[in-house]
Amino acid sequence: GEWQVEWGVLPHVLINTSSALLLAEEVLKHMVTYPDRMSENLAADGGVIMSESLMMVLAGRIGRDRAHDLVYEAVGRSRVDGRSFAQHAREILEVDYPHEKFEVDVMEPHAYLGEAREICSAALEEWSR
């Protein structure tokens, strides 16, 4: 008997989905991006937005809990003295792991795009058919 309920809801779901797509199309037609301003916004909090990126990389090397603690400490220090999150993270890593080499370029937003370009390209290719 559940399918009878679905038939009552399904048209509304499709109408709402259609409306959302039309609104998204309108937004994208008129959207303007300012890459310089976007970079400024990403750096506004001392680069703390990149803390997840570093934690994910460090978790594989030093364990999830220790990576979390290290990143949490670096964020806290950054907020207290205004120096960047990356500076504090590098300093903590140098003290706690003096003989290890960590790639900390993951704290740069342009390095944390994952597969975004490939996913967008595949979606555009599929939609153009």
Side-chain angles (χ1 to χ4, degrees), residues 43-93:
D45 196 16
V48 170
I49 195 166
M50 298 309 297
S51 60
E52 178 192 40
S53 174
L54 179 62
M55 190 170 71
M56 299 305 272
V57 169
L58 291 178
R61 301 266 314 267
I62 63 175
R64 184 181 157 279
D65 291 339
R66 179 62 188 127
H68 176 272
D69 293 345
L70 187 146
V71 167
Y72 189 85
E73 183 179 347
V75 167
R77 288 183 187 182
S78 176
R79 293 214 166 123
V80 167
D81 70 10
R83 291 177 50 225
S84 79
F85 163 71
Q87 290 172 314
H88 284 292
R90 284 185 183 97
E91 288 172 4
I92 295 168
L93 286 169

Side-chain angles (χ1 to χ4, degrees), residues 76-122:
R77 288 183 187 182
S78 176
R79 293 214 166 123
V80 167
D81 70 10
R83 291 177 50 225
S84 79
F85 163 71
Q87 290 172 314
H88 284 292
R90 284 185 183 97
E91 288 172 4
I92 295 168
L93 286 169
E94 287 172 5
V95 170
D96 291 1
Y97 302 94
H99 304 294
E100 297 216 30
K101 176 82 170 136
F102 292 95
E103 295 298 322
V104 291
D105 65 332
V106 296
M107 292 185 281
E108 298 298 326
H110 68 274
Y112 195 52
L113 298 176
E115 297 178 3
R117 286 189 176 106
E118 292 83 3
I119 291 169
C120 288
S121 293

Side-chain angles (χ1 to χ4, degrees), residues 31-53:
M31 186 170 70
V32 178
T33 58
Y34 300 96
D36 293 339
R37 186 67 184 127
M38 292 165 70
S39 293
E40 290 173 22
N41 288 338
L42 287 171
D45 196 16
V48 170
I49 195 166
M50 298 309 297
S51 60
E52 178 192 40
S53 174

Side-chain angles (χ1 to χ4, degrees), residues 9-23:
V9 173
L10 191 58
H12 295 289
V13 169
L14 294 175
I15 289 168
N16 289 337
T17 301
S18 175
S19 296
L21 288 171
L22 288 172
L23 289 170

